[in-house]
Amino acid sequence: MANIKRIIIVALLMISQASILKAEDGHALWLRNHSAVKVNISSTVRSATVDLAIAELKKGWLGKENMYIKLNLSKNPSIKGDGFQLEESAINARTELGLLYGTYELLRRQYLNLPQRNFISNPSYSRRILNHWDNLDGSIERGYAGSSIFWGNAANGLDITNQDQEKWKAYARANASIGINGAVLNNVNASVKILSPAYLEKVKAIAESLRPYGIKTYLSVNFSSPVLIGKLKKADPLDPQVKQWWKNKAAEIYKLIPDFGGFLVKANSEGQPGPQDYGRTHVDGANMLADALAPFNGIVMWRAFVYNPSPEDRTKQAYKEFLPLDGAFKKNVILQVKNGPLDFQPREPFSPLFGGMSKTPVMPEFQITQEYLGASKQLVFLSTLWEECLNSDTYKNGKGSTVAACTDGTLSKTDFTAIAGVANIGNDVNWTGHTFAQANWYAFGRLAWNNKLESKTIAEEWIKQTFLDDKEKKTNANFVKTTQEIMLESREAAVNYMMPLGLHHIFAEGHHYGPAPWFSNDKIRADWTSVYYHKADTLGIGFDRTRSGSDAVDQYHEPLSSTFNNLSSCPEMYLLWFHHVPWSYRLKNGKDLWTELCIRYDHGVQQVRSFQKDWDKMKGAIDSERFAEVQSKLRTQSRDAQIWKDACLLYFQQFSKREIPFEIERPVHDLQSLKELTKSRDYE
Ligand code: GCV
């Protein structure tokens, strides 16, 4: 009887707790209101940015009531760039923006109960930039959270409402709170209209909303702009008229936006125009734009995502194109390189360009939007993927030459450093579609500020700030721990149910959400089909990139090139990336390749099922809206993980001609029905 009573009381307590948790739509991100107490602030300097810092401290102060805090511009040599120092009763920084960053860090530390004294923090990269793939009609390439917050909508996309401005400020505030200081406002597949006077006026208005938060505005430009809007006959970068056109355009932009950041350029890639259309090189193109921007301290971010329909292994092409150009770029050019040599796959080895270029600054490009990782339907925390890339050793200057060290100025001793993330932000109320996709935005900012942070720390910070109220954060340890475990396992789970053991790019054509390992089409370029990448046949599966294959391994420094080249030393997570492996090949655990492949796919599905179970147990721990949204999305993810497993195993089984091991769950779909299903765009 006593037991029954206890159960009833616990149940009633849970129900009442759940009902007092406020409804939340996710719009406040990790910046939800807290029950702050009074604080007194003085500052040695005043500006729009410092005023924001003061307002934030007043709104969010969780320290001792009635404390006196000083914001102080300081010349302390340990503080670098926009870094800061937290002291018992002062925030010190070299710049006003540093004071704002120090403010956000102090408030975060108060909320998380972390030490707040004698804490110095300096940014790993000086430019921490979001790349928006937003089109001027308001659509977003690979965007899964609604339409653009910058473009489209009313009156040709040029009208600006108060609501727009409020949104831009909220966006800027969220970015500043995690240290992001730049935004490229339009798609790298750039419309020429962006450089027309009407659009530049709108860019100016956006820049004004972002500026107080320290966000610099950048634009993607179309290399053919001098022809398409300038009425010139060509866009040849060595042509004096073309050079002058860009110089005039740069001057026009800087008149409107004096702190404009510069241009991002996708040239001679996937049909975009570029200097090679005129027989010129990437250096000719980048340097011409660099000359136009240099008088105003603007920069050119030139993308290395360049490949052509050719018999050459696609993953080798960017390195072959850019290595010979190392050292020839102007000082204000930086090469923007995707984390892997292919295209934001669930797992790739790092791009060899990070260790290859030695006289040209290189900036990593990560993809925050989940083009190849479940869109905004799936919970996949990308911090672990980026951490893996940043910590990969390139062996450029011997052991310890990580991608982080190659790009953050540690090896090259430069402070012209940058990092970019392709944004996942749209007009959805919660900004990113999936509540957990907010964590990817957050993680990008935190890693861009400090590329040594660990994903587990980032996840914990994000969970507490995003879900818990001031009082609960102490009592809800189980929610934090369980959610953190789900997040940290989620990317490996996605690798398992999509492309384990180094498989890559076996997505359905076009939408990149579901599986289509069968996809092959003689009418399009081979490197846009799946069969090009997995090369399954009756002997085995995988892309031979060894010295007897495409020799991509030799784009890496020793000892990595030999490690990758040798089947027995190649890390199993990259096995089928570098090798065509017989079905009967024994892996380190003694299982043959086919069996292990089946087990991994099945394990991925089981991992998502266990995320569901764990999440369901959390009912009542957070507000019911976000709980239900995540619950429903995990159901979708679970169904779609099963589709991945069934599609890939049934398809590859045609080549392996072996049984799916009897200890794992059987497929529940037929191959033919999956071929139909994943063709449909509704499936995206
Ligand atoms: C913006 C991949 C994507 C394209 C994207 C391209 C790029 O190919 O599928 O949508 O285009 O990368 O990064 O330029």
Side-chain angles (χ1 to χ4, degrees):
M1 193 59 195
N3 261 352
I4 296 182
K5 246 192 196 163
R6 207 170 306 135
I7 292 171
I8 295 174
I9 291 171
V10 171
L12 285 174
L13 275 175
M14 279 175 68
I15 293 168
S16 64
Q17 195 198 2
S19 56
I20 54 170
L21 291 172
K22 272 187 289 106
E24 298 224 23
D25 59 14
H27 191 68
L29 296 162
W30 48 87
L31 291 166
R32 293 146 69 243
N33 287 335
H34 304 304
S35 34
V37 296
K38 189 168 179 315
V39 61
N40 305 296
I41 298 151
S42 63
S43 176
T44 57
V45 60
R46 286 311 279 262
S47 69
T49 302
V50 174
D51 287 349
L52 289 173
I54 294 172
E56 292 286 8
L57 285 168
K58 290 197 167 151
K59 193 165 145 204
W61 184 256
L62 297 174
K64 257 193 247 149
E65 193 159 359
N66 285 322
M67 275 272 288
Y68 282 85
I69 291 289
K70 191 167 170 195
L71 301 183
N72 193 25
L73 279 190
S74 145
K75 296 218 160 50
N76 179 342
S78 307
I79 306 174
K80 316 261 188 245
D82 289 323
F84 54 82
Q85 176 185 36
L86 304 183
E87 287 186 322
E88 163 109 61
S89 52
I91 301 174
N92 302 319
R94 283 181 171 267
T95 63
E96 289 151 26
L97 190 52
L99 294 175
L100 183 62
Y101 291 149
T103 294
Y104 285 119
E105 182 68 38
L106 177 60
L107 294 176
R108 183 159 44 234
R109 292 188 151 255
Q110 286 183 340
Y111 184 69
L112 299 171
N113 290 321
L114 296 171
Q116 292 138 40
R117 278 184 223 166
N118 301 328
F119 176 85
I120 293 189
S121 183
N122 293 315
S124 298
Y125 297 92
S126 47
R127 296 179 193 245
R128 305 168 297 277
I129 303 176
L130 286 184
N131 288 184
H132 288 267
W133 286 357
D134 294 19
N135 299 312
L136 302 187
D137 65 2
S139 62
I140 303 181
E141 182 152 352
R142 312 302 178 186
Y144 312 102
S147 54
S148 169
I149 61 168
F150 300 120
W151 310 110
N153 312 323
N156 209 5
L158 290 172
D159 266 7
I160 298 168
T161 63
N162 286 344
Q163 217 187 353
D164 288 332
Q165 281 169 324
E166 286 312 308
K167 192 165 280 179
W168 299 337
K169 281 184 199 155
Y171 158 87
R173 175 175 178 244
N175 280 329
S177 77
I178 49 175
I180 289 170
N181 67 358
V184 182
L185 301 182
N186 61 319
N187 191 353
V188 286
N189 292 329
S191 160
V192 284
K193 280 200 292 191
I194 192 69
L195 293 181
S196 64
Y199 275 91
L200 288 179
E201 280 298 332
K202 182 155 179 188
V203 175
K204 173 179 192 276
I206 298 171
E208 278 160 10
S209 294
L210 307 191
R211 184 171 298 121
Y213 284 98
I215 317 285
K216 261 193 205 302
T217 299
Y218 300 76
L219 292 176
S220 296
V221 295
N222 183 306
F223 203 80
S224 285
S225 300
V227 177
L228 297 169
I229 52 169
K231 308 264 177 337
L232 297 188
K233 291 225 161 47
K234 51 187 178 178
D236 180 350
L238 300 191
D239 182 294
Q241 277 186 305
V242 173
K243 289 184 186 183
Q244 194 55 47
W245 188 88
W246 283 106
K247 284 188 174 151
N248 295 346
K249 192 47 84 179
E252 182 187 339
I253 296 173
Y254 278 92
K255 207 162 168 206
L256 295 169
I257 308 154
D259 57 351
F260 181 70
F263 295 149
L264 172 63
V265 192
K266 172 173 175 177
N268 292 121
S269 168
E270 298 187 332
Q272 292 300 314
Q276 292 177 335
D277 303 349
Y278 303 93
R280 312 298 184 194
T281 66
H282 286 280
V283 167
D284 296 328
N287 286 354
M288 182 266 300
L289 293 176
D291 283 341
L293 294 167
F296 312 98
N297 296 322
I299 66 162
V300 174
M301 295 170 286
W302 194 265
R303 290 179 93 225
F305 181 68
V306 165
Y307 65 101
N308 291 307
S310 86
E312 182 62 280
D313 173 0
R314 173 171 157 189
T315 69
K316 286 181 66 183
Q317 294 184 27
Y319 183 96
K320 282 182 73 174
E321 184 81 49
F322 284 96
L323 242 272
L325 307 178
D326 193 15
F329 291 99
K330 295 270 164 128
K331 277 201 184 60
N332 54 338
V333 177
I334 188 162
L335 205 62
Q336 182 164 311
V337 176
K338 289 188 181 182
N339 55 287
L342 182 54
D343 192 9
F344 300 135
Q345 297 301 290
R347 171 163 279 128
E348 296 186 40
F350 66 87
S351 163
L353 276 168
F354 292 119
M357 303 298 276
S358 43
K359 297 182 217 98
T360 310
V362 174
M363 60 188 284
E365 177 179 334
F366 294 152
Q367 194 179 41
I368 310 172
T369 192
Q370 292 167 243
E371 173 181 359
Y372 295 103
L373 280 138
S376 57
K377 290 183 176 181
Q378 302 193 11
L379 189 169
V380 184
F381 183 48
L382 298 175
S383 185
T384 48
L385 188 165
W386 303 329
E387 194 184 344
E388 182 175 293
C389 172
L390 289 166
N391 292 340
S392 294
D393 202 339
T394 69
Y395 291 90
K396 180 180 183 177
N397 293 357
K399 202 168 166 37
S401 312
T402 59
V403 170
C406 291
T407 54
D408 68 6
T410 306
L411 294 188
S412 55
K413 309 274 175 269
T414 170
D415 54 14
F416 181 24
T417 57
I419 186 165
V422 180
N424 61 350
I425 296 157
N427 260 323
D428 276 5
V429 172
N430 74 357
W431 301 90
T432 56
H434 196 310
T435 295
F436 277 79
Q438 296 179 354
N440 291 332
W441 178 6
Y442 183 84
F444 171 74
R446 299 290 285 141
L447 280 173
W449 180 271
N450 179 356
N451 61 11
K452 296 194 175 52
L453 272 183
E454 293 184 56
S455 298
K456 63 173 195 277
T457 310
I458 298 175
E460 183 179 341
E461 287 179 0
W462 177 80
I463 295 164
K464 288 182 173 167
Q465 296 171 91
T466 301
F467 290 113
L468 304 188
D469 284 337
D470 301 0
K471 283 185 211 91
E472 294 154 22
K473 71 177 194 286
K474 295 200 183 74
T475 55
N476 238 333
N478 185 40
F479 173 79
V480 175
K481 187 166 166 287
T482 308
T483 309
Q484 185 190 30
E485 280 166 6
I486 294 177
M487 289 171 77
L488 294 178
E489 199 183 320
S490 59
R491 183 272 185 136
E492 206 59 46
V495 168
N496 284 333
Y497 63 74
M498 289 184 184
M499 280 165 261
L501 294 169
L503 283 174
H504 46 285
H505 222 311
I506 53 175
F507 290 95
E509 187 200 3
H511 60 63
H512 294 169
Y513 179 76
W518 48 81
F519 177 56
S520 126
N521 183 342
D522 294 345
K523 296 201 182 66
I524 62 169
R525 44 198 288 187
D527 58 9
W528 282 356
T529 68
S530 301
V531 293
Y532 172 86
Y533 294 102
H534 63 67
K535 304 212 184 308
D537 55 25
T538 52
L539 301 177
I541 180 171
F543 198 125
D544 183 0
R545 297 194 166 102
T546 66
R547 289 173 191 143
S548 38
S550 79
D551 196 23
V553 292
D554 275 327
Q555 292 187 336
Y556 293 91
H557 295 289
E558 286 291 14
L560 267 191
S561 44
S562 294
T563 305
F564 290 155
N565 184 60
N566 187 331
L567 182 56
S568 61
S569 60
C570 181
E572 286 182 350
M573 63 183 183
Y574 301 137
L575 201 66
L576 307 179
W577 181 282
F578 286 116
H579 296 266
H580 189 74
V581 184
W583 295 111
S584 58
Y585 176 77
R586 296 266 156 208
L587 287 130
K588 296 204 174 65
N589 63 9
K591 297 203 162 67
D592 64 71
L593 175 65
W594 168 249
T595 305
E596 183 64 13
L597 198 66
C598 295
I599 288 175
R600 297 260 181 144
Y601 271 108
D602 187 60
H603 183 54
V605 175
Q606 299 311 325
Q607 284 172 295
V608 184
R609 300 257 197 278
S610 77
F611 299 162
Q612 286 188 279
K613 287 183 199 152
D614 289 341
W615 186 257
D616 283 0
K617 282 185 218 147
M618 298 297 133
K619 189 165 187 177
I622 60 162
D623 54 287
S624 54
E625 288 73 13
R626 290 183 300 173
F627 174 80
E629 175 241 333
V630 174
Q631 183 181 52
S632 154
K633 289 199 161 161
L634 281 171
R635 286 180 187 153
T636 306
Q637 185 168 355
S638 196
R639 282 197 295 272
D640 293 347
Q642 175 87 50
I643 288 174
W644 267 98
K645 171 191 153 186
D646 289 2
C648 295
L649 292 188
L650 291 173
Y651 171 75
F652 291 135
Q653 192 180 32
Q654 301 176 115
F655 302 96
S656 79
K657 303 202 187 306
R658 291 163 181 243
E659 288 291 353
I660 293 174
F662 295 112
E663 67 266 27
I664 69 170
E665 281 181 10
R666 319 317 291 160
V668 299
H669 300 97
D670 297 320
L671 189 54
Q672 196 47 43
S673 67
L674 291 175
K675 287 188 180 175
E676 291 308 316
L677 174 75
T678 58
K679 239 190 251 165
S680 141
R681 286 210 74 106
D682 297 342
Y683 181 62
E684 190 177 355

